[in-house]
Each structure stands twice: as structure tokens, then as C-alpha cells.
Amino acid sequence: MSDIYDLHCHSTASDGALSPTELVERACQQGVTHLALTDHDCLDGLAEAEIVASKLGLRLIPGIELSTTWEKKCFHIVGLGIDPNNNLLLEGSRHAQSTRLNRAEKISLKLEKKKIFGAFDAVKAAAGEGMITRTHFANFLLSNNHVSNLQEAFDKYIGDNKCAFVATIWPSLDEAIAWIKAAGGIAVLAHPMRYKLTKSSMTRFMNDFKKCGGQGIEVVYGRSSQDDISAAANLARKFELAGSVGSDFHNPNNQWIELGRLNSLPPGIKPVWQFF
Ligand code: AMP
Ligand code: MN
Ligand code: MN
Ligand code: MN
């Protein structure tokens, strides 16, 4: 049986719809042999995922997707192969949880100005012990018929710079990569084509990412076009980064591709799993 990697996905510990157990079971059914669970700013799902993965004979790579700020913009850095008990990451995660709670209050107040009530209680209940994310707001807006699909929730209300958007200061790129490295992990730039950077900003970002100790880039992403894959592969070659593959699976019912259904890395790109 050939190896099938999927190194980016979410569980109910952040904005995924499946519990860590359900997620690992599904990955196994889909033939995934190496799965990284990478919840937003959160390690809480990893222990449960590991128990199921070892029962099913699937290799779980402990991961996290850290929200970071670089030049006032949010960048997602996936940490792969981290120690889930590392104190710097645990402390960063606790801080992110309170940042997210504060942000949720502010988003809810902005929604109230648009005569949309009850968001805060709803997202808090939906997130439970997990991280409150904008996905929870999108689900709330959809289930209360304020929008007709999740994308519209982002386009109309909670997307960057829309009327209920709240700018947030996340840990710096430098800090986040330092935590990942201290936890024994590899820092990977998630979905590089989603930031819509100009060529010169991308070069500046990549130079900083390398300087901070970044080692990988998500060359194959769940929603990448062939052009996106080529562009990300060019960045991997130019900046001598290893390539990762990740679906960013959140939910079996909408918009996300299935776990493990990813294109192979283009020729000449060293896989990030050389480090594991
Ligand atoms: P947050 O980290 O709370 O700001 O939420 C970010 C999450 O919202 C992302 O990881 C995606 O799951 C989701 N998201 C962001 N933008 C969009 C979009 N345009 N459409 C659907 N989901 C989105
Ligand atoms: Mn998400
Ligand atoms: Mn992301
Ligand atoms: Mn993600």
C-alpha cells in the first residue's frame, strides 16, 4: 500500500466538524497513512487523535496551525511534528484562546449594530471547550438565515475588512516559529497563495520566514489550482523550502475536499516528511 499524506486538517478542538476520533477514523477510511491534525492555535485534540491513530495503525503527526501577524496581516504557520506538551506552545495557545474570546465579543457587538443578535452566546456554545473561530460565526449566520452560504458570511460580514471584522494582533511570525522550533517541530507556511501578496511583499515575507527558521511551504493545498501548485513549488525552489501537502479539511458536508485527496508534490520538491 502506498503512503498517503495529509498534513493539515481540523477537529472540534477548533473549527472542524468532526471530533479528533471521528477525524482519524475518516482519514483511515480514506486510505490516509500519515495525518497531521493542525487545529487553530490549539493542541487539545492531539491526545485523543493519537489514541485512535495508534489503534488503527495510522501515523499521527502532532501539529498546530498558528495564527501570526506579519506587517499587520495574519499569516497561518503550520507546525508539524511538535511536542504536544511543550510549554511555550501551551502558553501561546492559552493566550490565543483569550484573544479569540475577546475578539468574539467585539465581532458580536459589530453584528448587533447590523441588528444581528445572539451571536456571542451561539458561538461560545458551539465552540464549547475549543477555540472560537470565524467559522463558528459563519455557521451562526448561516443557520439563522442571515446569509445563504458560508462564503457569503465572510463576504458580507466577517471577512477581512468587512463590517463585522475585528483586526487582531496575533503573535509575531518570529515568536510563533520560535515556539514551533522549541517544541521540536517544522514550521510550514500554510496556503501561500491565499494571502494575495505582491511579488515584492512575498519575497520580503519569505526572506523573513527563512530568517526566523521556517523550513517548509504548503505546495499542495486542498483548494489549490494547478497554477497555485506551480507558483508555490517555485517559491519552495527559490527559497529552498521543503514541500508539504494538506487538505485543510474541516467538514465533510461543505466546500472542503476529502481527506488525503491531494496531488503529489511536483518533481524536485523535497517532501517535508523527510524531517519526520
Ligand atoms: P479565524 O482563525 O477565527 O480568523 O478563522 C479563520 C478560519 O475561517 C479559516 O481557517 C477558515 O476555516 C475560515 N475562513 C476564512 N476565510 C474564509 C472564507 N472566505 N470562506 C470560508 N471559510 C473561511
Ligand atoms: Mn479553519
Ligand atoms: Mn489557515
Ligand atoms: Mn487550516
Side-chain angles (χ1 to χ4, degrees), residues 8 10 40 65 76 78 190-191 194-195 218 221 248 250:
H8 184 166
H10 297 274
H40 294 287
E65 182 175 15
H76 285 177
V78 165
H191 39 65
R194 261 193 24 200
Y195 307 107
E218 217 164 54
Y221 176 66
D248 205 7
H250 283 68

Side-chain angles (χ1 to χ4, degrees), residues 102-119:
N102 285 332
R103 182 184 67 158
E105 279 175 333
K106 290 181 187 150
I107 294 174
S108 303
L109 288 174
K110 287 194 164 187
L111 288 173
E112 284 182 12
K113 294 212 168 104
K114 298 286 166 193
K115 308 264 177 281
I116 295 175
F117 299 99

Side-chain angles (χ1 to χ4, degrees), residues 9-30:
C9 65
H10 297 274
S11 76
T12 45
S14 64
D15 57 352
L18 304 183
S19 69
T21 299
E22 292 165 334
L23 186 79
V24 172
E25 285 172 352
R26 189 180 184 97
C28 196
Q29 282 156 14
Q30 298 300 326

Side-chain angles (χ1 to χ4, degrees), residues 2-205:
S2 61
D3 288 344
I4 298 183
Y5 286 81
D6 191 335
L7 303 179
H8 184 166
C9 65
H10 297 274
S11 76
T12 45
S14 64
D15 57 352
L18 304 183
S19 69
T21 299
E22 292 165 334
L23 186 79
V24 172
E25 285 172 352
R26 189 180 184 97
C28 196
Q29 282 156 14
Q30 298 300 326
V32 174
T33 55
H34 296 69
L35 181 76
L37 173 58
T38 55
D39 275 308
H40 294 287
D41 309 313
C42 183
L43 302 159
D44 291 354
L46 294 172
E48 179 184 322
E50 175 53 37
I51 292 170
V52 186
S54 61
K55 264 191 213 145
L56 297 176
L58 176 149
R59 169 91 190 274
L60 184 85
I61 292 112
I64 192 164
E65 182 175 15
L66 290 176
S67 313
T68 75
T69 299
W70 181 83
E71 295 192 353
K72 298 192 180 148
K73 212 171 136 60
C74 179
F75 287 79
H76 285 177
I77 306 297
V78 165
L80 296 176
I82 43 110
D83 167 9
N85 299 310
N86 177 268
N87 276 328
L88 284 172
L89 280 179
L90 287 168
E91 181 54 38
S93 177
R94 272 192 290 274
H95 192 261
Q97 188 154 29
S98 81
T99 301
R100 285 176 171 280
L101 189 66
N102 285 332
R103 182 184 67 158
E105 279 175 333
K106 290 181 187 150
I107 294 174
S108 303
L109 288 174
K110 287 194 164 187
L111 288 173
E112 284 182 12
K113 294 212 168 104
K114 298 286 166 193
K115 308 264 177 281
I116 295 175
F117 299 99
F120 185 67
D121 289 343
V123 296
K124 228 172 145 241
E129 302 278 289
M131 291 284 163
I132 303 177
T133 71
R134 280 187 287 166
T135 305
H136 294 98
F137 280 95
N139 290 338
F140 163 80
L141 290 166
L142 179 60
S143 56
N144 288 277
N145 301 315
H146 297 294
V147 291
S148 49
N149 58 62
L150 292 175
Q151 188 55 48
E152 195 187 333
F154 285 89
D155 294 346
K156 213 164 152 187
Y157 295 107
I158 57 175
D160 292 9
N161 305 316
K162 303 297 178 193
C163 64
F165 175 70
V166 173
T168 306
I169 300 172
W170 302 104
S172 67
L173 182 67
D174 197 3
E175 245 178 320
I177 295 177
W179 297 344
I180 291 169
K181 289 180 81 73
I186 306 298
V188 175
L189 174 63
H191 39 65
M193 295 306 134
R194 261 193 24 200
Y195 307 107
K196 309 271 178 249
L197 297 183
T198 60
K199 202 166 173 225
S200 68
S201 297
M202 182 55 103
T203 301
R204 233 183 21 260
F205 176 87

